[in-house]
Amino acid sequence: MMETLQADVIIIGGGIGGCTAALAASKRGKKVIMTEETDWIGGQLTSQAVPPDEHQWIEQFGCTRTYRDFRNRVREYYRRHYPLKEEARRDERLNPGKGWVSRLCHEPKVALAVLQEMLIPFTSSGRLQIFTDYKVTGADVDGDDVRSVTVQHADGRFKKLQGQYYLDATETGELLPLAGVEYVTGAEAKKDTGELHAPEEARSQDMQSFTYVFAVDYVEGGNFVIEKPEQYEFWKEYQAPFLQHKQLSWFAPDAHTGGSKEFAMFHHEDLWGLWDYRRIVDPKLFVEGTYEGDISLINWPQNDYWRGSIIDVSEEDREKHIHESKQLSLSLLYWLQTEAPRPDGGNGYPGLRLRGDILGTEDGLAKYPYIRESRRIKAVSTVVEEDINANTRDGIKQVEDSVGIGCYRIDLHPTTETNTFFYAESYPFEIPMGALLPVRVNNVLPACKNIGSTHITNGCFRVHPVEWNIGESAGYLAAFAIEKGVLPRDVREDQALLREFQALLVEEGIELKWPEIGAI
């Protein structure tokens, strides 16, 4: 017999946006149910093993109050629980891994603990229920409204979830097709978006590559070479037609030039080292003997997977691409351990050790692939390239219905069909409420990177603090609509309601406007 549960707000997907939507709606006193496909909430920060991608002003401004709280709590977690050296303990801007991708490179398990800590007042009171290992499988739809959603546990059990609002916070927009929400995937045509760099013809399967991240430490003099992956010979020789180099090499696509850029394992002469790019533990910050070596998360250009999409394809094709992506990551590790050229003329770094314990997995790979591009709702208003690209506008675009802010470069990794990659400087941007509103369905809201952006602008809406803000604002919007007895679109269309809602967001620490700053 299927169990039926009821709440005010149903959140499908426990990634960054799902967690912040749950936090927001719970703070407004609403009953909330959140489901998550894996056994870890946190998405990019945890199950996908991606340290925060952030803008250069993140320590001063440009994020929500709760995101800043999260960052502070991560640092405090290390101070409370880890044997830090005194200098590191006193560092207000402690960066546990001293990685150069972010000012705060930390372990996924720490992010998980902090997110659980932030939500525990609501899970403890029963206001928020979280069900992990549940995947959405169906929806009961009546015209423009969703009446219930069905989720299935990994062991086969089902639950029917009924609520007033349903938020899609899944990594790939899994609820949208089940709920009949109009959406787009891949690259839109220039005639549809008017964007300068959009292709002439739409390609719904031409999406950004995804990546299976893995964790390794490096023990000088050790030998931890894994068993040769079954597809190693393929990936060792693989060279995509758009690349000037083999996939397994020290070269990576250079979006600035369209050519190749050379790296090294560790910084060497004028070459940037990839090892500390996403390093999450720098032993020099900890009491001597705490760690045998650095720990790094390998999310490099070399393990970007673009040979096929996992969205709106058959289950057979999805499993094929998931398997190949895992094989690519394992092949990269094996290549690094055995054949990667070293500056001393030798080959391989056998001291690299796969650390599945860091990610809570047996195979050493992340629990879920790092997803850069999702299904995106057809929205009341869609953010296009000309709203953000610093080469097409002069200054930050102001929007009347702002529900938050974000900042990141337009950064598209090689795509699955045309293998297009694109990079452009951008201005910081405001998040319009209209991008959170489906064109037709009344009670479904996007809560992560499935908002009304395009293939191009998704490249800067997909990062951690932006998804955090989107989820938080979506959670508040659902709660506010319930309190006022109106639809979310009514909040946008009624000036008095819009101003009241925006005042609520500001009171809750969500910045709606940027100061005068330049492009990045």
Side-chain angles (χ1 to χ4, degrees):
M1 182 175 177
M2 185 185 302
E3 182 181 17
T4 298
L5 299 174
Q6 296 181 330
D8 299 309
V9 179
I10 308 295
I11 301 170
I12 305 299
I16 295 175
C19 288
T20 58
L23 182 65
S26 297
K27 285 169 69 175
R28 295 298 295 180
K30 302 299 175 283
K31 287 280 190 180
V32 180
I33 292 173
M34 181 173 75
T35 66
E36 162 56 28
E37 185 175 343
T38 73
D39 61 349
W40 278 11
I41 62 171
Q44 293 183 69
L45 289 165
T46 61
S47 61
Q48 296 177 44
V50 182
D53 283 310
E54 301 171 330
H55 57 74
Q56 64 204 52
W57 305 285
I58 196 68
E59 301 286 1
Q60 292 83 35
F61 54 82
C63 65
T64 77
R65 185 164 61 215
T66 56
Y67 186 74
R68 189 167 308 285
D69 183 33
F70 166 80
R71 297 176 89 256
N72 292 338
R73 285 175 184 245
V74 166
R75 285 170 168 153
E76 189 56 34
Y77 192 94
Y78 278 93
R79 295 186 183 105
R80 289 202 317 265
H81 298 291
Y82 283 72
L84 292 165
K85 291 180 178 177
E86 279 308 308
E87 183 180 359
R89 189 178 302 279
R90 292 193 302 268
D91 186 357
E92 291 184 1
R93 296 186 178 179
L94 173 67
N95 185 352
K98 298 187 87 171
W100 51 272
V101 73
S102 172
R103 290 162 176 80
L104 186 58
C105 288
H106 52 80
E107 295 172 68
K109 287 191 286 190
V110 172
L112 175 64
V114 169
L115 289 170
Q116 290 171 331
E117 181 182 71
M118 294 177 75
L119 293 172
I120 202 168
F122 308 109
T123 56
S124 179
S125 68
R127 189 178 297 172
L128 168 63
Q129 293 179 278
I130 300 175
F131 297 101
T132 57
D133 289 313
Y134 274 90
K135 180 178 175 62
V136 64
T137 58
D140 178 20
V141 181
D142 181 10
D144 296 339
D145 296 280
V146 174
R147 299 303 183 194
S148 68
V149 168
T150 303
V151 294
Q152 184 179 18
H153 191 270
D155 66 9
R157 288 176 291 145
F158 287 91
K159 291 185 188 296
K160 177 187 283 189
L161 309 178
Q162 296 177 332
Q164 296 188 60
Y165 283 92
Y166 300 84
L167 275 56
D168 187 339
T170 62
E171 301 301 328
T172 55
E174 293 295 314
L175 179 60
L176 301 182
L178 298 173
V181 178
E182 289 82 359
Y183 67 90
V184 296
T185 60
E188 301 92 338
K190 189 184 296 286
K191 63 181 176 59
D192 295 324
T193 67
E195 294 171 305
L196 177 64
H197 291 98
E200 294 301 323
E201 299 295 330
R203 285 180 173 267
S204 62
Q205 282 293 307
D206 198 24
M207 305 177 202
Q208 284 197 70
S209 48
F210 65 90
T211 304
Y212 255 100
V213 181
F214 59 95
V216 286
D217 63 0
Y218 183 65
V219 182
E220 186 73 41
N223 188 342
F224 308 103
V225 176
I226 63 171
E227 183 179 347
K228 184 177 178 181
E230 64 182 73
Q231 292 185 0
Y232 179 70
E233 293 302 328
F234 170 80
W235 288 112
K236 176 185 173 182
E237 299 301 327
Y238 176 74
Q239 181 172 338
F242 68 97
L243 292 180
Q244 300 173 359
H245 56 268
K246 289 185 177 181
Q247 183 84 3
L248 301 186
S249 71
W250 286 124
F251 291 90
D254 186 351
H256 292 282
T257 65
S260 298
K261 183 175 182 179
E262 186 177 4
F263 292 89
M265 179 70 169
F266 306 109
H267 291 306
H268 177 67
E269 296 180 350
D270 59 348
L271 296 178
W272 277 91
L274 286 172
W275 174 249
D276 54 357
Y277 177 40
R278 296 181 185 273
R279 184 175 56 191
I280 56 172
V281 169
D282 181 354
K284 299 184 188 68
L285 301 179
F286 299 83
V287 172
E288 189 170 348
T290 302
Y291 291 97
E292 291 185 73
D294 299 8
I295 303 177
S296 191
L297 297 173
I298 310 303
N299 174 17
W300 296 355
Q302 287 88 340
N303 58 331
D304 273 4
Y305 180 85
W306 51 70
R307 281 171 53 83
S309 157
I310 57 173
I311 298 176
D312 289 347
V313 296
S314 68
E315 186 61 25
E316 181 182 2
D317 281 347
R318 183 183 185 279
E319 290 301 321
K320 171 178 178 281
H321 295 311
I322 289 289
H323 179 68
E324 285 193 359
S325 176
K326 289 182 175 182
Q327 281 292 304
L328 169 58
S329 287
L330 291 172
S331 294
L332 171 59
L333 173 59
Y334 187 78
W335 178 81
L336 289 169
Q337 292 174 323
T338 62
E339 298 194 55
R342 299 195 311 258
D344 64 4
N347 294 93
Y349 297 87
L352 289 171
R353 177 170 55 181
L354 196 57
R355 293 291 303 271
D357 57 313
I358 295 295
L359 304 181
T361 62
E362 293 183 4
D363 64 6
L365 303 177
K367 291 176 180 287
Y368 198 86
Y370 172 36
I371 303 295
R372 295 184 177 87
E373 187 170 338
S374 171
R375 297 176 178 89
R376 304 179 298 278
I377 65 166
K378 290 187 176 180
V380 169
S381 63
T382 300
V383 182
V384 297
E385 177 186 357
E386 281 67 25
D387 295 332
I388 296 175
N389 191 332
N391 297 314
T392 64
R393 61 175 301 104
D394 183 20
I396 299 170
K397 181 177 180 179
Q398 308 281 324
V399 297
E400 186 179 4
D401 61 341
S402 174
V403 292
I405 59 176
C407 183
Y408 201 69
R409 301 165 295 279
I410 298 178
D411 180 17
L412 301 185
H413 287 232
T415 58
T416 51
E417 286 191 347
T418 64
N419 303 138
T420 301
F421 50 102
F422 179 67
Y423 180 96
E425 292 184 349
S426 66
Y427 278 104
F429 50 86
E430 298 175 6
I431 304 168
M433 184 192 294
L436 273 64
L437 302 174
V439 292
R440 180 184 58 83
V441 176
N442 293 320
N443 63 340
V444 173
L445 294 172
C448 52
K449 50 185 168 285
N450 51 357
I451 66 169
S453 62
T454 66
H455 171 67
I456 292 175
T457 57
N458 167 78
C460 51
F461 273 82
R462 63 181 173 82
V463 294
H464 304 60
V466 181
E467 183 180 336
W468 186 289
N469 194 151
I470 291 168
E472 194 169 359
S473 294
Y476 281 125
L477 181 56
F480 186 81
I482 291 171
E483 293 163 12
K484 296 298 179 179
V486 298
L487 295 174
R489 67 171 60 94
D490 298 330
V491 177
R492 181 175 183 267
E493 293 170 0
D494 185 304
Q495 284 295 307
L497 283 175
L498 176 60
R499 299 295 172 248
E500 184 179 352
F501 178 64
Q502 289 176 317
L504 181 157
L505 294 180
V506 171
E507 183 179 347
E508 294 294 345
I510 296 177
E511 300 174 23
L512 304 183
K513 301 292 177 183
W514 281 95
E516 286 299 319
I517 49 181
I520 64 167

